[in-house]
Amino acid sequence: MIIRQSLLRKAGRTIPVPATSWTRALATDSDGTTENPFRWGPEVKAPVKSDALIAEPTEPTIDEIIEATVNIENPVVIPPVNTKQHVINPKFNAYLTRHYKLSRNQNPPFRKLGATVDDHYFPKSLLKTPHPPSEITLELLLASQSHLGHATSLWNPRNSCYIFGIRQGIHIISLEVTAAHLRRACRVVSGVAERAGLILFVGTRSGQEKIVVKAATLAHGYHLFERWTPGTLTNGQQILGRCSMKVVDEFDREIPALQAKLELEERAVLRPDLVVCLNPLENWVMLHECGLNNIPTIGIIDTDADPTWITYPIPANDDSLRCVQLICGTLGMAAQQGRRLRQEMARQGVVTYTPTTL
């Protein structure tokens, strides 16, 4: 017993593996056999000499490791590997390479057992290919996060008719009301574009630059993604008096001769016939000027905004760029449809608006 205890004290400081199996080998009631501490194969006889305890255990071969890894019926527990010891070991590097190739071969069969996601969301898809008004559905509005409002503490009581309920302290906007108001706004935009009206898209928040430019391009209108200059409508003669105007015919073709004549005359500054505002909270000055000049407005109203500022409000989430892309792109497509209808009627000799005389 004294010899056994002394050997265990020395072995605990020299070998980095558990000494429980060697304890059984040195015990008086042991039969001389024990389990392999690394569990790579069947039971083997423990060494008897003391110098064998100090020697490092033999490392298993690569074939044994792969066989133990692949064997599912009799799984084998692999001991933790000392990375500092095996970094420069070529056998260990070969084991990693072979195990990586084996995992790559096993992935394709097991990949069929999982779910496959076919439809992916691309942030620029709504910007490049906007949806027409006929494709607006509740599922599309839900996917664009149009139903998420603000916290109940920021609630504007005038939005009570647009709110569906409360979820975890956040107001939920009714998507049925959003779809109805969006379709009504599309009819307004289409009617203004059909009568050759000037449509102005305004979005001054970060990330809305490309959205308003795309919508204005579809509607052949105008856009503003910077700060609104106060007095642009109420004092437009002083602010926009030096801006040049473009003269077009019923097919939106420029007339250079009349444009040169127009520059010599002093005429009143043109004002937009419809203003689409994507963030009414930051542009309340513009909305106030539109109200003073009887200019109709369309805007996205969140639960913290006042819907009485807007002529045709659209209750939706104005903080989500995906929601803003969907709504603004749909309005741009509606304006494009109205402009196309106006040009078709012009080819038939019917002018849908009263021409300006010079």
Side-chain angles (χ1 to χ4, degrees), residues 172-187:
I172 304 300
I173 303 174
S174 177
L175 294 181
E176 295 180 355
V177 178
T178 302
H181 284 67
L182 180 57
R183 295 189 183 100
R184 182 185 65 174
C186 290
R187 289 195 298 269

Side-chain angles (χ1 to χ4, degrees), residues 28-239:
T28 55
D29 54 350
S30 175
D31 56 353
T33 60
T34 180
E35 295 180 356
N36 188 355
F38 291 99
R39 304 181 185 178
W40 297 114
E43 297 181 353
V44 295
K45 294 205 172 185
V48 180
K49 297 181 180 181
S50 60
D51 55 353
L53 295 175
I54 303 175
E56 295 183 357
T58 58
E59 184 181 2
T61 62
I62 303 300
D63 296 334
E64 292 177 352
I65 295 176
I66 299 300
E67 183 180 359
T69 307
V70 179
N71 191 1
I72 302 177
E73 298 180 355
N74 299 322
V76 179
V77 181
I78 301 177
V81 181
N82 188 1
T83 56
K84 295 183 180 179
Q85 180 182 359
H86 292 275
V87 166
I88 58 176
N89 190 352
K91 294 184 179 180
F92 183 72
N93 294 337
Y95 156 70
L96 291 179
T97 304
R98 190 170 179 179
H99 183 69
Y100 175 74
K101 293 181 179 180
L102 180 64
S103 62
R104 291 292 300 272
N105 295 332
Q106 289 179 351
N107 282 337
F110 289 105
R111 194 177 292 119
K112 298 179 181 179
L113 301 178
T116 57
V117 182
D118 296 333
D119 298 332
H120 302 275
Y121 167 62
F122 297 96
K124 296 183 180 180
S125 60
L126 294 176
L127 187 62
K128 294 182 179 179
T129 56
H131 294 272
S134 58
E135 296 182 2
I136 295 299
T137 58
L138 299 183
E139 292 80 6
L140 187 60
L141 293 174
L142 181 64
S144 62
Q145 303 175 356
S146 303
H147 61 290
L148 299 178
H150 285 277
T152 54
S153 58
L154 304 176
W155 172 48
N156 193 320
R158 295 179 179 177
N159 284 320
S160 59
C161 57
Y162 305 144
I163 295 176
F164 177 78
I166 300 175
R167 174 81 173 181
Q168 296 181 357
I170 298 176
H171 277 123
I172 304 300
I173 303 174
S174 177
L175 294 181
E176 295 180 355
V177 178
T178 302
H181 284 67
L182 180 57
R183 295 189 183 100
R184 182 185 65 174
C186 290
R187 289 195 298 269
V188 173
V189 172
S190 178
V192 172
E194 185 180 353
R195 290 166 178 80
L198 300 179
I199 304 176
L200 175 63
F201 292 87
V202 180
T204 57
R205 285 185 183 177
S206 178
Q208 296 181 353
E209 297 86 358
K210 296 182 180 180
I211 301 176
V212 294
V213 171
K214 179 64 175 180
T217 304
L218 293 174
H220 280 259
Y222 304 90
H223 62 271
L224 175 66
F225 50 80
E226 295 180 353
R227 176 179 175 270
W228 174 266
T229 303
T232 303
L233 297 179
T234 55
N235 194 19
Q237 198 66 31
Q238 298 295 330
I239 298 177

